[in-house]
């Protein structure tokens, strides 16, 4: 039962946070954070598998918008609230974050386990009217083919027979599953693109406040406030992009869920350039907010598209492989951002950070290229 597994992971997350609060040395704190990383990463594959089985294909982009907005809101609340708590006691900050986890774990534990393979999607609420794709007759019953699959068949786009044969296997070991999902070329392009985007995002999360403080000559309080405003823009981008990809797909645009993040990725690069040139936070703020919105707008349609492409029984493992690559990129970003900044700083440390952000637009451009 994936719901029980997710509930256990959330409970272990809360325990790891409490363990962090009791650490008496840096070594013990590091060990607690390593344990936290394990259980945090476990959530992504389970959530992807559950989303595919709970919701029909036509609305998965919208659902992923809600999920990723929740992540952004949670990060914003943690950033805003626990920072003040940590000023009084860093241990109390860990405890404050841990307590809600146990309530959430209880609620998740009580969720019904959906039928695997996309055959048990939840029915719409009474009176709910789904436009376009329902009118066209697609997915008239839960577990039907998705809009993307229907459109591909109508355009005589045939899947690889070898992959179809392998993907229908009832049982597949982890290595066989890993080889399979890495043979699906569209999925590989999405994995690489997402990793490049998350790499840049991790660098912004680590050095964003310091960059704003130095580049625009603002105090720490205003820099923190500006980052929260950027987070609000990111949430707006997420909420718009998922439904937009669904709508394009529902109106017959087969590439809708890829084109939305592709245009967003290009816009992200272009919008960051003027923000890196100017030294006025008033001038830069609109560009940064829009860039943050475009950066996060890439994720909901891509996550939904992956569920269209990968066979249902491999959703969790495909997401696990993507999470492995993504978190590797996220873990590498702070180290490389810091190292490049030190290398370029000379006698002007903040200038080094500025040029680091300019250079790191290259992997962001790679994200746009692969899409």
């Amino acid at each position: 039962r994936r719901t029980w597994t997710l509930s256990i992971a959330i409970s272990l997350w809360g325990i790891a946070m409490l363990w962090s609060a009791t650490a008496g040395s840096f070594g013990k704190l590091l060990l607690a954070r390593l344990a936290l990383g394990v259980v945090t990463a476990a959530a992504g594959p389970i959530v992807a598998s559950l989303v595919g089985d709970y919701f029909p294909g036509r609305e998965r982009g919208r659902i992923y918008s809600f999920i990723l907005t929740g992540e952004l809101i949670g990060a914003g609340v943690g950033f805003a609230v626990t920072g003040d708590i940590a000023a009084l006691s860093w241990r109390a900050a860990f405890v404050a974050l841990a307590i809600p986890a146990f309530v959430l774990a209880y609620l998740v534990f009580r969720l019904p386990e959906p039928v695997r393979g996309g055959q048990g999607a939840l029915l719409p609420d009474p009176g709910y009217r789904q436009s376009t794709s329902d009118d066209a007759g697609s997915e008239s019953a839960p577990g039907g083919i998705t809009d993307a699959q229907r459109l591909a068949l109508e355009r005589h786009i045939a899947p690889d027979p070898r992959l179809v044969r392998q993907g229908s296997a009832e049982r597949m070991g982890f290595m066989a599953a890993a080889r399979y999902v890495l043979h699906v070329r569209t999925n590989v392009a999405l994995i690489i693109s997402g990793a490049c985007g998350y790499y840049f995002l991790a660098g912004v999360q680590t050095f964003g406040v310091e960059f704003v403080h130095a580049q625009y000559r603002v105090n720490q309080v205003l820099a923190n406030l500006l980052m929260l405003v950027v987070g609000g823009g990111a949430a707006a981008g997420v909420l718009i992009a998922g439904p937009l990809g669904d709508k394009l797909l529902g109106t017959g645009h087969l590439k809708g869920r890829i084109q939305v993040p592709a245009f967003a990725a290009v816009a992200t690069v272009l919008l960051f350039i003027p923000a890196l040139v100017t030294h006025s936070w008033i001038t830069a703020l609109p560009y940064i907010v829009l860039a943050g919105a475009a950066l996060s707008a890439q994720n909901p349609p891509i996550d939904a598209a992956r569920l269209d492409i990968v066979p249902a029984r491999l959703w969790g493992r495909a997401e696990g492989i993507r999470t492995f690559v993504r978190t590797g990129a996220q873990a590498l970003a702070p180290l490389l951002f810091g190292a490049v900044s030190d290398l370029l700083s000379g006698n002007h440390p903040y200038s080094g950070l500025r040029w680091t952000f300019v250079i790191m637009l290259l992997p962001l451009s790679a994200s746009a290229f692969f899409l």
Side-chain angles (χ1 to χ4, degrees), residues 142-356:
I145 65 171
T146 67
D147 283 342
Q149 293 161 351
R150 174 179 58 81
L151 290 169
L153 291 172
E154 288 175 357
R155 288 160 173 72
H156 306 291
I157 301 172
D160 184 334
R162 180 176 56 87
L163 290 178
V164 171
R165 240 184 351 265
Q166 292 176 4
S168 61
E170 187 71 21
R171 296 286 181 186
M172 193 182 295
F174 176 77
M175 294 306 298
R179 283 194 297 270
Y180 181 93
V181 299
L182 293 176
H183 274 100
V184 182
R185 287 178 294 174
T186 307
N187 187 48
V188 172
L190 294 180
I191 289 173
I192 295 172
S193 170
C196 291
Y198 274 104
Y199 169 84
F200 187 82
L201 182 60
V204 171
Q205 289 173 329
T206 307
F207 294 103
V209 172
E210 184 178 356
F211 171 79
V212 169
H213 173 61
Q215 177 77 1
Y216 308 125
R217 306 290 194 273
V218 297
N219 59 41
Q220 195 74 16
V221 174
L222 182 56
N224 289 341
L225 182 60
L226 292 177
M227 290 302 292
L228 286 175
V229 172
V230 173
V238 165
L239 286 171
I240 292 170
L244 180 58
D246 292 349
K247 183 176 178 60
L248 288 173
L249 198 62
T251 53
H253 293 82
L254 175 59
K255 300 179 182 179
R257 283 179 175 161
I258 307 299
Q259 287 175 337
V260 169
F263 284 119
V266 173
T268 304
V269 177
L270 296 178
L271 287 165
F272 264 118
I273 292 172
L276 293 173
V277 171
T278 182
H279 287 279
S280 167
W281 71 267
I282 297 175
T283 305
L285 185 60
Y287 291 108
I288 296 177
V289 171
L290 290 173
L295 180 60
S296 48
Q298 300 169 43
N299 298 319
I302 287 178
D303 290 340
R306 188 176 297 102
L307 297 180
D308 285 326
I309 296 165
V310 176
R313 291 187 177 277
L314 293 174
W315 280 336
R317 281 170 285 184
E319 179 65 16
I321 291 166
R322 183 191 79 104
T323 302
F324 178 80
V325 177
R326 187 195 81 188
T327 49
Q330 287 177 297
L332 195 60
L335 179 66
L336 288 184
F337 269 70
V340 172
S341 179
D342 284 348
L343 187 65
L344 298 176
S345 61
N347 296 324
H348 305 283
Y350 292 129
S351 172
L353 186 57
R354 178 189 180 191
W355 282 107
T356 297

